[in-house]
Amino acid sequence: GVSRGLTLAETRPHRYRCSKMASGNSAFRDELTCFICKDLFKEPKTLPCLHTFCVVCLDEYAQKRPLDREQGDSRDNLPCPSCKKKFALSPEELPINFVLRNLVNHLKLSDANTGASSAAQGPDSDEEPSRKMTCSQCEKATAITICRKCRDWLCPVCTDNHKRTVKTKAHSLEEISEQSPLEDPIDMRKSPYCDISGHEDKKIDMYCKRCDKVLCLSCAVTEHNGDAHDIVMASKIVGDYKEKLRRLTEVTREVQQKSRQGIADIDHTLASLEETEQVRAREVLEEYGRLKEELDRQRDRLLRKVKQISERKKARLNEQREELTRVEDTLQKGIQLADDIRENCIPVEIMYFQSQMEARLQELCREYGDYPYKPKANDIIGFVKSNGLERIKESNTIGSVSAEPDPSSFTVDGIENAHFIEGKQSKLMVTCRDIIGNKLNEHRDEVSATLQRVGQENPIIPCEVRNNRNGTYTVAIQPQTRGPHRLTVSVNVSGESSERPPYNIMVSPPQRKITEATNVIRDDNMKNPLGITVTRDELIVVSDITAHCLFVFDRGGNYLRPIGKQGNGELEFEAPRGIACTPADNIIVAEKGNHRLQEVTLDGGFVRFFGANEVGKCGSEVGNFHCPLGVAVNSEGFVFATDSMNQRIQCFKSDGTFVAVFGKWGSGLNSLNVPYGISIYSQPRVLGEGNRELLFVSEREGNRVQCFEMQDGAYKSVAMFGSKGQDRGHLNEPVGVLVDSNTGYLLVTELKSHQVSVFTRSGEFVYSFGDRQAHAQFRTPMSVATLGDSHIIVTDCKSGCLKIFRSLDI
C-alpha cells in the first residue's frame, strides 16, 4: 500500500516508467495506487496541492468524512487526505491528471500482455496478478483491441461496431496482446474529449486565454465567442506555456535544491546529534561519577569528623573518670577507716586516732570539695544538613559536623615569634576552637588576659580584649617594663572557664636605631680584620685574615696583644674567619685555610682542635670541615660552625666530641647555599620551663637568613627570609649575622651593599645603616658584635679597621 497521494512533481520520465513496468517493479505500481482506495488510479484528479486521488474516492471522502468544526472544517472546506492542506473540494471541477491516467492504462496494457506468463508462474509467484483492460465504449466488457486513431480500447462487440461505423471504419485497430509493453505510453494515450452534453464526440484541442480553460471547437463557437474571449489552438500556444513551465520548473528546482540541502543538513545534524548524545551521556556519567566520588569523600570526611569528636570526648571523659575513680577510692578509704574506728574501736583507741582522722578528713574535704565533678565533655555532636542539591552545589558539601566550643582548646596565634617592646603595644590573636581543634566561627566565648612581670611583688595588669565576632579575639599587650613577663589567657564558655599555664614572654627595651660611628679602631698590626667577638669583661677580640692571627683590644679600642701566628700547628692559624667566646671566655676560631676549628685562651694558650681532618686538608665526612667560616657557642658550651663548602652546620660538645650535623645544598627549607655567619639566641619558652634556642645562619650565595631550632631530636628550619636585591628587606651577599641581646633584633652585614641591615627575629625589615652607593661608611662590612648595652662594633675588612656605632632609643 501507499502512505500518501502521488504529486505531479513526483512523476518520472515516461520511458523510464515504461522500463519499470516491463520489469514488474512493485514500487512503481505503488506510485500509481490511490491513497484512499489502495487500488490503481481510476480517473485520477489532482488537488491544488498537487496530490492526486481517484475522482470517486474524492467524492466519497468529501461526503463521508467526519467534520472537525473546531478546526474550521466544512463540506466546502476539507483538508487534503494526504497533506491536510484545506481546499474547496469539488471533484467535478478538478483537473484530470492525464500523465497518471495514461501511465495506469499503459500498466494495465502491460499486465494484459504478460497475463499468461504470470498465470504460468503459479500462485506463489512474486509478480502481481494480471489486470484486464475495460472497454472504453461500453465500459463493461474486457477490451481486446486498441484504436490507433482515437486511442479507444474496445471489446469484441465495440470492435465490430468501430469497424462498421462510417466515421471510424478507416481507423487502424490492433490486438492488445500484440502491443509492446515497452512502447511509449504517449503514443498510446487517448485524446481527451469534451464532457459537455452533446459534445462528447468532440476532442478538446482549443484554449480560451481569458477564461484559462481548454475546450472543444463547439464550446469555442457557442460558449466562448465574441470579443470577451480569446480562442487559440492549444497546439499553437502550448510552446509558450512549456517555456513558462520550464522557467518555473527551474525556479522550483532551486527551491527543491534548498529542500534537499535542508534534508542533507538535517541528516548531518541527526548524525552529529547521535554523536553528541553519546558524548553528553558519557559526560553526564563522568560528572555523576565525579559528584558521587566527591559525595563519598565528603561522607567519609564527615564520618571521620564524627568519629574524631566522639573519640576525643570519650578520651577526655575516660581520663576524667579514671581520675574521679581514684578520688572516689581515696575518699572511700578515708570514710571506711573513719567508720571502722567509730564503730569498732574502744574509746581510748578512738581518741588515739581522733586528731589524725579529723585532719585527714578535713584535708580530703578541702582537696576534693570543689573538685571538677561535672563531665568535661557532653554527648552532643552537631550536624547541619545542606538544604537540597542546590545548597550542596553552592557549598560543595553535604553538611557540616561540629562540636561545641571547648574552653581548653584555644590557641594564641603568633606568640612564638612575637616581639614585645617596653612601652609599645603588641597584639596577639586568640582563636577559640572545639574539642578537636577546629576553629569556631561563633562568638559565644568570653576571653580575658593579664600580664605580670616575673616576681611576686609585681602587679597583675589586665589586657584589653576585643571580640572580632568570628571566633577570634584580639589581645592588646602594652608592657611598661622590660624583662621576662608572664601572659595568662583565660576562656569562659557557658560558665565553664579554662586557664592555660602562663606564657613566658620577653619584653625588650624600646627600639633603638644606630647613629653615626662614635669610634674607629685602627692599629698598624691589624691589616684585614674579619671575625669579632666581645668577652664578658668587654675585651674585643678580632681575627685578621692577612696577619693570620687574633688581636685583642680593650673596650676603649687600645691594642693589647696578638694571639697566634700563621701555620698549621697549635696556636697557628691559616686565614682565620669567624670567632666566638665560650662560657669560660676562651676563643673558638674557624680556620678556612686549615679546615678546622681551634680553641685558645685569651692569654695565648692552646686548648684543642675541632674536626677530624688531616692537617691542612679538607673533608666531607661528619666531623670534618671544608672551609669553615662562622662559629657560635651556646650557654652550655656547645659549638656550632658553618661548614661552607659542605653546605652544612656541624655541632660539637665543648670537649670537641662530634654531636650532630644538619643541612644540605639547595634553596628550600633545611637547605643551604654557602652558609657563612651564625648566631645563637636563647629565650624563655613561651610555655613550660627552659629556654628556646634559635640558630640564625646567613647564606652568602643564597642571599637569605635561615632560622633553625631543635625539634623532635633534630635541627629543623623554622623560618627563612631575604632574597637577592638592593631594595629594603632584600639581601646582597649577607655574611655576618648577630642577634642583639639588648634589643632582640637581628643584625646582618651585607658585603655587596656595604651596609648593615636590621630585622626582627621573624624577618621583618626595620632599618639599615651604611651607604649602599659608596664606601663612605663601609667598604666590606664582615662581622658584627655588641659592646655593652648601647654600642655595635662592625669589622670593615678592606678598610682595615673596626667601627663602633651608638644605638639610641627612639
Side-chain angles (χ1 to χ4, degrees):
V2 295
S3 60
R4 58 184 177 84
L6 187 68
T7 66
L8 285 176
E10 296 170 309
T11 58
R12 305 177 185 180
H14 299 296
R15 297 191 183 277
Y16 169 81
R17 291 168 177 267
C18 291
S19 66
K20 291 298 182 182
M21 282 189 278
S23 61
N25 190 299
S26 61
F28 178 72
R29 295 177 182 273
D30 290 342
E31 292 182 2
L32 301 180
T33 302
C34 177
F35 175 72
I36 298 176
C37 67
K38 313 301 182 186
D39 200 354
L40 291 178
F41 286 117
K42 303 179 187 66
E43 199 63 23
K45 292 212 171 186
T46 302
L47 297 177
C49 61
L50 301 185
H51 286 109
T52 303
F53 306 92
C54 299
V55 64
V56 176
C57 295
L58 284 176
D59 187 60
E60 291 179 354
Y61 175 76
Q63 298 301 322
K64 296 180 180 180
R65 183 182 182 278
L67 300 179
D68 188 351
R69 301 295 183 183
E70 294 183 359
Q71 298 296 325
D73 284 355
S74 67
R75 292 300 176 193
D76 297 328
N77 186 19
L78 288 174
C80 166
S82 180
C83 68
K84 308 305 180 185
K85 191 171 184 180
K86 294 179 181 180
F87 304 102
L89 296 179
S90 299
E92 65 276 3
E93 296 179 2
L94 294 174
I96 299 173
N97 192 324
F98 296 107
V99 175
L100 293 182
R101 188 181 71 173
N102 292 330
L103 288 173
V104 169
N105 290 337
H106 194 77
L107 178 61
K108 290 180 179 180
L109 178 62
S110 177
D111 288 342
N113 288 334
T114 59
S117 173
S118 299
Q121 293 176 5
D124 296 331
S125 175
D126 292 335
E127 296 291 338
E128 293 188 7
S130 63
R131 300 177 185 271
K132 295 180 179 181
M133 298 296 297
T134 303
C135 179
S136 302
Q137 298 292 329
C138 65
E139 296 182 349
K140 293 179 182 180
T142 301
I144 61 170
T145 62
I146 183 170
C147 177
R148 284 288 188 177
K149 181 68 174 176
C150 56
R151 305 294 194 263
D152 281 336
W153 296 343
L154 305 173
C155 67
V157 174
C158 293
T159 299
D160 291 340
N161 293 336
H162 206 75
K163 291 179 180 179
R164 291 194 298 267
T165 303
V166 176
K167 186 177 180 180
T168 61
K169 65 180 181 179
H171 293 181
S172 175
L173 299 177
E174 293 183 11
E175 294 288 340
I176 291 178
S177 58
E178 297 175 358
Q179 176 65 36
S180 171
L182 299 178
E183 193 169 348
D184 193 339
I186 294 179
D187 298 333
M188 299 293 298
R189 70 189 174 191
K190 180 180 178 182
S191 298
Y193 286 83
C194 185
D195 55 2
I196 302 299
S197 178
H199 299 177
E200 289 86 351
D201 60 341
K202 305 296 183 183
K203 290 184 180 180
I204 298 176
D205 54 4
M206 310 298 289
Y207 175 72
C208 179
K209 292 184 179 180
R210 300 288 176 87
C211 299
D212 188 21
K213 187 175 181 180
V214 291
L215 37 87
C216 67
L217 179 59
S218 297
C219 290
V221 173
T222 59
E223 303 291 338
H224 293 265
N225 57 355
D227 295 336
H229 299 276
D230 186 3
I231 306 299
V232 294
M233 291 295 293
S235 58
K236 291 183 178 180
I237 197 172
V238 71
D240 295 337
Y241 281 94
K242 283 186 176 180
E243 178 61 24
K244 183 178 180 181
L245 286 176
R246 188 193 64 77
R247 291 195 298 267
L248 286 174
T249 302
E250 292 300 322
V251 174
T252 307
R253 281 198 179 95
E254 293 177 2
V255 176
Q256 182 190 36
Q257 184 60 32
K258 293 181 180 179
S259 68
R260 289 178 176 174
Q261 183 61 46
I263 293 172
D265 292 342
I266 290 173
D267 291 342
H268 175 75
T269 302
L270 286 171
S272 178
L273 181 61
E274 183 70 24
E275 181 180 351
T276 302
E277 176 190 356
Q278 297 175 4
V279 171
R280 293 297 175 264
R282 184 169 61 252
E283 291 176 348
V284 167
L285 292 175
E286 290 175 355
E287 180 66 9
Y288 168 77
R290 189 192 67 79
L291 290 176
K292 184 177 181 298
E293 182 180 347
E294 176 63 20
L295 289 174
D296 290 344
R297 188 188 66 79
Q298 292 186 30
R299 176 201 62 196
D300 296 342
R301 178 180 62 82
L302 293 177
L303 290 177
R304 284 196 303 270
K305 191 171 182 181
V306 168
K307 185 72 172 177
Q308 187 180 13
I309 293 173
S310 176
E311 292 297 328
R312 188 66 60 85
K313 287 191 173 189
K314 288 177 182 178
R316 182 172 292 185
L317 290 171
N318 287 330
E319 182 181 355
Q320 184 183 15
R321 190 179 188 283
E322 291 179 3
E323 178 63 21
L324 291 182
T325 300
R326 184 189 63 78
V327 171
E328 197 275 335
D329 184 62
T330 301
L331 293 173
Q332 179 61 29
K333 288 180 179 178
I335 292 171
Q336 185 66 44
L337 181 58
D339 288 343
D340 289 343
I341 292 174
R342 180 170 52 80
E343 295 175 1
N344 301 321
C345 292
I346 62 177
V348 174
E349 293 173 339
I350 293 175
M351 296 309 296
Y352 181 79
F353 283 106
Q354 181 266 336
S355 298
Q356 184 177 356
M357 283 303 306
E358 182 179 350
R360 177 55 179 163
L361 291 176
Q362 289 177 349
E363 180 183 359
L364 291 175
C365 291
R366 286 194 304 271
E367 183 175 356
Y368 299 117
D370 296 326
Y371 207 73
Y373 296 106
K374 181 181 177 181
K376 292 184 177 181
N378 57 31
D379 60 351
I380 298 174
I381 300 177
F383 175 63
V384 179
K385 301 178 184 178
S386 293
N387 294 327
L389 291 176
E390 289 300 323
R391 179 60 181 157
I392 292 175
K393 209 168 173 185
E394 292 175 4
S395 61
N396 198 27
T397 179
I398 61 176
S400 61
V401 173
S402 62
E404 71 281 357
D406 181 41
S408 63
S409 299
F410 66 88
T411 57
V412 181
D413 305 324
I415 194 168
E416 293 286 343
N417 297 315
H419 191 66
F420 301 99
I421 301 175
E422 178 186 355
K424 297 294 181 68
Q425 187 181 81
S426 300
K427 293 182 179 180
L428 297 173
M429 189 75 71
V430 176
T431 301
C432 294
R433 303 181 183 275
D434 61 19
I435 194 169
I436 60 174
N438 290 330
K439 179 181 177 296
L440 298 174
N441 293 323
E442 303 174 355
H443 48 272
R444 295 179 292 169
D445 321 284
E446 294 180 5
V447 176
S448 60
T450 59
L451 184 67
Q452 182 183 28
R453 195 184 191 286
V454 175
Q456 296 182 354
E457 302 300 327
N458 293 314
I460 297 176
I461 304 172
C463 299
E464 179 184 350
V465 179
R466 185 181 74 246
N467 188 342
N468 298 321
R469 303 291 175 181
N470 61 358
T472 65
Y473 296 78
T474 300
V475 178
I477 301 172
Q478 190 166 350
Q480 300 302 316
T481 56
R482 66 188 67 177
H485 286 67
R486 290 192 177 96
L487 174 66
T488 302
V489 178
S490 176
V491 175
N492 185 292
V493 178
S494 302
E496 183 180 351
S497 180
S498 177
E499 183 178 293
R500 291 267 186 88
Y503 294 92
N504 300 312
I505 64 174
M506 179 63 68
V507 178
S508 302
Q511 181 178 337
R512 294 177 172 183
K513 189 169 184 177
I514 303 299
T515 61
E516 73 283 349
T518 60
N519 191 14
V520 177
I521 300 176
R522 296 182 184 275
D523 188 84
D524 292 341
N525 298 299
M526 187 169 59
K527 306 299 182 183
N528 296 112
L530 194 144
I532 188 171
T533 187
V534 177
T535 68
R536 285 179 297 176
D537 296 333
E538 295 191 347
L539 294 178
I540 303 171
V541 183
V542 181
S543 65
D544 193 312
I545 60 173
T546 301
H548 304 285
C549 66
L550 308 180
F551 295 110
V552 182
F553 298 86
D554 64 16
R555 177 185 174 87
N558 300 307
Y559 175 77
L560 298 180
R561 58 184 175 274
I563 299 176
K565 61 180 180 179
Q566 185 173 9
N568 56 22
E570 296 178 358
L571 284 176
E572 294 180 343
F573 307 101
E574 188 66 41
R577 288 309 202 260
I579 59 176
C581 275
T582 69
D585 262 357
N586 289 338
I587 307 299
I588 306 289
V589 184
E591 297 184 61
K592 178 183 177 182
N594 286 328
H595 307 289
R596 68 187 181 189
L597 306 182
Q598 184 175 177
E599 182 179 357
V600 297
T601 63
L602 279 173
D603 58 5
F606 171 77
V607 180
R608 64 177 56 82
F609 293 120
F610 294 80
N613 305 47
E614 184 179 347
V615 176
K617 293 185 178 181
C618 61
S620 59
E621 296 80 7
V622 293
N624 292 348
F625 288 101
H626 188 180
C627 298
L629 298 178
V631 63
V633 183
N634 69 8
S635 58
E636 299 178 0
F638 284 82
V639 179
F640 296 83
T642 57
D643 191 359
S644 66
M645 300 310 294
N646 286 325
Q647 314 293 344
R648 63 189 182 185
I649 310 296
Q650 296 202 70
C651 175
F652 299 84
K653 290 183 179 180
S654 58
D655 61 2
T657 303
F658 172 80
V659 175
V661 62
F662 55 95
K664 60 182 180 180
W665 184 87
S667 58
L669 285 174
N670 300 303
S671 299
L672 298 167
N673 191 354
V674 188
Y676 203 106
I678 184 170
S679 180
I680 300 174
Y681 180 73
S682 182
Q683 67 181 33
R685 294 193 177 277
V686 174
L687 287 174
E689 302 298 328
N691 292 329
R692 181 188 181 200
E693 190 171 81
L694 303 176
L695 276 65
F696 292 90
V697 179
S698 62
E699 299 176 52
R700 180 172 178 176
E701 296 297 327
N703 294 290
R704 65 181 183 179
V705 173
Q706 204 165 168
C707 178
F708 293 87
E709 183 179 11
M710 174 68 75
Q711 293 182 350
D712 301 325
Y715 282 95
K716 297 180 181 179
S717 178
V718 295
M720 179 175 65
F721 64 91
S723 60
K724 185 176 179 60
Q726 298 286 345
D727 297 331
R728 290 165 55 90
H730 289 71
L731 295 172
N732 200 348
E733 292 197 23
V735 285
V737 62
L738 173 74
V739 179
D740 185 350
S741 57
N742 297 316
T743 63
Y745 285 144
L746 188 69
L747 284 69
V748 183
T749 60
E750 297 182 62
L751 190 61
K752 288 298 181 69
S753 293
H754 316 290
Q755 67 178 7
V756 178
S757 292
V758 182
F759 298 85
T760 65
R761 294 191 302 277
S762 60
E764 298 176 5
F765 177 79
V766 182
Y767 66 95
S768 62
F769 60 96
D771 192 345
R772 293 173 181 265
Q773 306 301 327
H775 300 169
Q777 288 191 349
F778 297 116
R779 291 184 63 190
T780 51
M782 296 300 297
S783 300
V784 60
T786 57
L787 181 62
D789 59 1
S790 61
H791 289 83
I792 303 294
I793 308 178
V794 181
T795 59
D796 195 351
C797 185
K798 290 188 178 180
S799 295
C801 64
L802 313 179
K803 294 181 179 179
I804 302 178
F805 296 82
R806 180 189 297 276
S807 60
L808 300 176
D809 295 349
I810 58 173

